[in-house]
Amino acid sequence: MPSLKSNLVKRIDRLPKPANAADAMQPLFEAVSNSIHSTQDRFKDKVATGGKIIVTLTMEGRQAPERIIVEDNGVGLDGKNYDAFTTTDTDNKIARGGKGVGRLLWLDCFEEISVKSTSFEDGTEKQRSFSFVLSQSDQIQEYEENEVEATHANTGVMIEFGALQDNGYRAKFPGRAAYVFQHFTSHFLPTFIGKRSPIITVHCGDETRHYPEEINSIIHRRETIENIPTEEYGPLTLTLMECDKVASSDLQGSHFVHFIAHDRTVHSQKIDGKLGLKYFGANEDRVFHAVLIGKFLDDNVNQERTKFQFEDAVLERIVNDVCAPHIEKFLAGPLQTLRQDQRTRVKAITESYPSVAFGDVDELQEKLPSGELNDDAIFGHLSRERYRRDQRQAEKIRAVLERLKEPTVDVDAFANAIEAAGKAIEEAEQKSLTEYIVRRKVVLDFIEILLEKVRDDTRDSSYQREDILHSFICPMRVNTLADGSRKVVATASHDLWIIDERLTFAQYFSSDEEFHNLSDAVASYSSHLVMRHLGQLEMRHLPSV
């Protein structure tokens, strides 16, 4: 029976091309990740001392690297791993989050790829070497295989990548060592802060970094909260870190929560606005970073492990609902001074908008992110909490109404429920009324200032700038009656209540219309109503046939 044919060239051509530096470095990250897994497989719990990985990037000025070499002392490409290498979409490392597409990214990214491996198999060491090329068939070329006397000392893999392809990778790959190290640090941060990271040496041009030692030198304080229970996202583990500001020197911000899936940084969420801090610490040289991991994140990452398969709003909710309480506790000292500033803003907002003042300032602040200092955001948080309270109160009132329908009702309990519900309704109405009065007071204060300015302006003695006052109270050249007909045009926005409270709900008004036209239109419309009313009365008194 015929089977489907695979078009590898077309598939790789359709792979998403890099949109930023992190995307462009993803093929390199895949190679380093493979080496990490390989050393972990060989050295197990001793990988932190026995595992070694060396990454060398040959840089030309500030351009993308001309050559990259990744070598390790892991288990090498033994029979099982080599079979997996030559199989697309393999499930060989699915438990670790491997999707079997890393090698496809290599073909998309690099012009040349050569692989050399030494592995221990059946009592001997087997050496394999080959070139890996992009073609419709025979992607493994120049294959050689040899067996040598087993020493167990030389196992591992060395992969040499040639120049980057001119399909977005060359343009987006960072050309400065500082940016390479920054992305490298961020991407493998969860591995580096754990206990299962091999020793990784990265040479980039003339600069060298050693990991995880490099990470430990910039982390001044660390705390891990394991298995935080959540209803929507399952258990999550959060690591909180106070770092030297150099940890954020190449990031667009200061403080971040890094979302991790399968030991990879998939998304870094900036939380500067929530904390309200630029830097903190005695010397104002500290930043905050957090790492979040969990099965929910592992299960919802895309095939390339570059994006999550849920909306960005979910990330925001996780930061607010899951991470924020622990972050506030971890940064209690630096955030203490911010609380007073936030308190002042909350008081000002509730004075202008009493409807969101559902409690005292302390209670209101408990509903806000600790460092939130944006007035719009504070009002939004308070409004949302007010809505939730109104919903809960409505449920209570509906429950009282349901009890009223019951044949047997406890009079005292019913009276207490009615009193509580009535008190809550009265409180909400009072706050809404207060807010309405505050708004009207602002308008009246403005009209008072406007009147003073108009009186002082003597440039036009005939009208004393009547148009200014007119347009403020009522839009000019607007009519709610058209040509004396019975058609009613919708009223425009106006503040006619300034003239007379009874005009607040005026149904008809006219701006800059001769009075006799308006009176004729109103009279015509009124006569029509009277005649229609009389006609209805007459119809009601017709004798039945």
Side-chain angles (χ1 to χ4, degrees):
M1 299 291 290
S3 59
L4 296 176
K5 296 180 180 180
S6 173
N7 190 326
L8 186 64
V9 175
K10 285 292 185 182
R11 176 176 178 182
I12 290 176
D13 185 59
R14 288 193 296 267
L15 286 175
K17 300 303 181 273
N20 50 52
D23 290 347
M25 294 185 69
Q26 190 64 36
L28 171 59
F29 295 155
E30 292 286 346
V32 174
S33 181
N34 289 341
S35 291
I36 291 174
H37 292 158
S38 182
T39 56
Q40 289 171 342
D41 288 342
R42 179 182 177 185
F43 295 99
K44 311 299 182 190
D45 294 338
K46 297 181 180 180
V47 67
T49 55
K52 302 287 191 300
I53 300 173
I54 300 175
V55 181
T56 304
L57 296 91
T58 302
M59 312 294 287
E60 293 292 338
R62 293 191 174 184
Q63 303 299 317
E66 290 297 321
R67 193 160 297 275
I68 300 175
I69 298 175
V70 178
E71 48 189 322
D72 64 64
N73 64 345
V75 296
L77 283 177
D78 56 20
K80 178 183 177 182
N81 288 334
Y82 178 73
D83 287 342
F85 186 96
T86 56
T87 304
T88 60
D89 303 296
T90 175
D91 60 0
N92 186 43
K93 296 195 298 180
I94 196 166
R96 290 169 164 169
K99 304 295 194 299
V101 299
R103 301 171 313 291
L104 304 188
L105 292 178
W106 295 355
L107 293 173
D108 194 33
C109 176
F110 299 104
E111 293 181 355
E112 299 175 1
I113 305 168
S114 64
V115 180
K116 294 180 180 179
S117 167
T118 301
S119 59
F120 181 72
E121 303 176 47
D122 301 325
T124 63
E125 285 187 3
K126 183 169 291 188
Q127 296 178 341
R128 291 183 175 90
S129 65
F130 55 89
S131 296
F132 189 39
V133 300
L134 176 60
S135 64
Q136 187 55 41
S137 61
D138 300 326
Q139 293 85 16
I140 305 298
Q141 297 183 3
E142 302 176 0
Y143 180 83
E144 293 184 7
E145 182 178 313
N146 299 297
E147 291 185 2
V148 297
E149 183 179 351
T151 63
H152 292 281
N154 300 318
T155 61
V157 171
M158 183 179 77
I159 306 174
E160 186 171 353
F161 300 104
L164 279 72
Q165 300 274 11
D166 190 16
N167 57 356
Y169 283 97
R170 188 185 305 172
K172 296 296 183 180
F173 202 103
R176 294 174 55 187
Y179 287 98
V180 172
F181 293 133
Q182 177 260 306
H183 288 291
F184 195 89
T185 299
S186 175
H187 190 86
F188 292 106
L189 187 63
T191 300
F192 295 150
I193 66 174
K195 298 179 180 180
R196 286 177 49 77
S197 172
I199 299 172
I200 304 177
T201 301
V202 181
H203 304 288
C204 187
D206 297 331
E207 299 185 45
T208 298
R209 297 286 188 276
H210 301 281
Y211 298 92
E213 178 184 342
E214 183 71 22
I215 293 296
N216 294 330
S217 67
I218 65 173
I219 299 177
H220 302 285
R221 185 164 60 101
R222 182 188 307 179
E223 180 182 342
T224 298
I225 301 100
E226 296 187 355
N227 297 321
I228 302 171
T230 68
E231 184 175 344
E232 290 186 65
Y233 320 113
L236 298 172
T237 294
L238 180 67
T239 298
L240 311 158
M241 294 172 288
E242 178 183 329
C243 306
D244 190 277
K245 66 179 182 181
V246 299
S248 302
S249 59
D250 293 314
L251 295 172
Q252 298 300 314
S254 299
H255 315 290
F256 293 85
V257 174
H258 304 281
F259 289 81
I260 311 301
H262 297 300
D263 291 339
R264 313 287 179 89
T265 300
V266 179
H267 178 80
S268 295
Q269 184 86 348
K270 185 173 74 172
I271 59 170
D272 292 21
K274 297 183 184 301
L275 295 184
L277 297 167
K278 177 61 177 176
Y279 301 117
F280 60 91
N283 299 318
E284 292 292 316
D285 61 352
R286 303 292 172 84
V287 294
F288 172 80
H289 285 259
V291 171
L292 191 72
I293 61 175
K295 188 175 184 300
F296 174 80
L297 301 178
D298 292 342
D299 292 343
N300 288 279
V301 68
N302 69 356
Q303 183 173 331
E304 291 78 26
R305 286 163 284 176
T306 57
K307 291 181 176 61
F308 287 111
Q309 295 174 322
F310 46 69
E311 296 178 351
D312 290 345
V314 175
L315 299 172
E316 186 73 16
R317 289 200 297 270
I318 292 176
V319 170
N320 290 335
D321 300 339
V322 179
C323 302
H326 300 287
I327 294 173
E328 291 174 18
K329 184 178 179 181
F330 185 78
L331 297 176
L335 292 176
Q336 185 175 2
T337 55
L338 288 178
R339 296 291 286 177
Q340 185 56 46
D341 190 3
Q342 187 185 70
R343 183 184 184 88
T344 301
R345 292 172 184 268
V346 170
K347 289 178 67 176
I349 289 172
T350 53
E351 287 174 0
S352 297
Y353 301 93
S355 63
V356 297
F358 51 79
D360 59 28
V361 177
D362 291 333
E363 184 180 0
L364 297 179
Q365 277 194 282
E366 290 299 320
K367 305 299 181 183
L368 303 175
S370 60
E372 185 60 79
L373 297 178
N374 184 283
D375 289 351
D376 288 349
I378 290 175
F379 181 79
H381 284 292
L382 297 180
S383 298
R384 183 166 56 251
E385 190 61 31
R386 159 72 192 279
Y387 171 78
R388 291 170 179 170
R389 286 185 171 231
D390 288 349
Q391 290 296 101
R392 291 194 294 269
Q393 188 58 41
E395 288 295 330
K396 291 181 181 179
I397 295 173
R398 281 192 287 269
V400 170
L401 294 176
E402 289 298 323
R403 290 178 58 191
L404 182 61
K405 299 176 183 178
E406 297 177 0
T408 58
V409 180
D410 185 291
V411 177
D412 293 334
F414 181 73
N416 292 335
I418 288 291
E419 182 180 358
K423 183 178 179 180
I425 293 174
E426 180 182 0
E427 182 180 354
E429 289 176 342
Q430 287 176 346
K431 291 183 182 299
S432 296
L433 178 59
T434 302
E435 185 169 315
Y436 173 66
I437 292 173
V438 169
R439 300 270 68 74
R440 287 164 64 92
K441 179 64 165 58
V442 171
V443 174
L444 292 175
D445 287 345
F446 185 82
I447 197 68
E448 182 178 359
I449 295 173
L450 192 59
L451 283 169
E452 292 177 1
K453 294 295 183 182
V454 168
R455 293 192 193 103
D456 293 339
D457 189 349
T458 59
R459 289 173 297 177
D460 191 343
S461 57
S462 300
Y463 293 96
Q464 290 288 305
R465 302 301 300 171
E466 178 188 348
D467 59 324
I468 297 178
L469 291 174
H470 196 309
S471 61
F472 181 74
I473 297 172
C474 173
M476 300 181 69
R477 290 174 293 279
V478 173
N479 302 299
T480 57
L481 290 177
D483 302 328
S485 67
R486 296 190 297 271
K487 180 180 179 181
V488 178
V489 180
T491 59
S493 174
H494 64 84
D495 284 314
L496 289 172
W497 57 268
I498 296 174
I499 301 172
D500 192 319
E501 285 283 356
R502 291 171 296 180
L503 299 178
T504 300
F505 303 104
Q507 186 174 5
Y508 311 114
F509 69 87
S510 179
S511 170
D512 291 357
E513 180 73 14
E514 294 184 8
F515 183 76
H516 71 87
N517 291 336
L518 177 63
S519 60
D520 290 345
V522 172
S524 175
Y525 184 61
S526 300
S527 299
H528 168 73
L529 292 177
V530 171
M531 293 301 294
R532 186 174 66 177
H533 181 61
L534 291 175
Q536 290 173 343
L537 290 176
E538 183 178 354
M539 290 296 293
R540 291 195 190 101
H541 290 88
L542 287 175
S544 57
V545 178

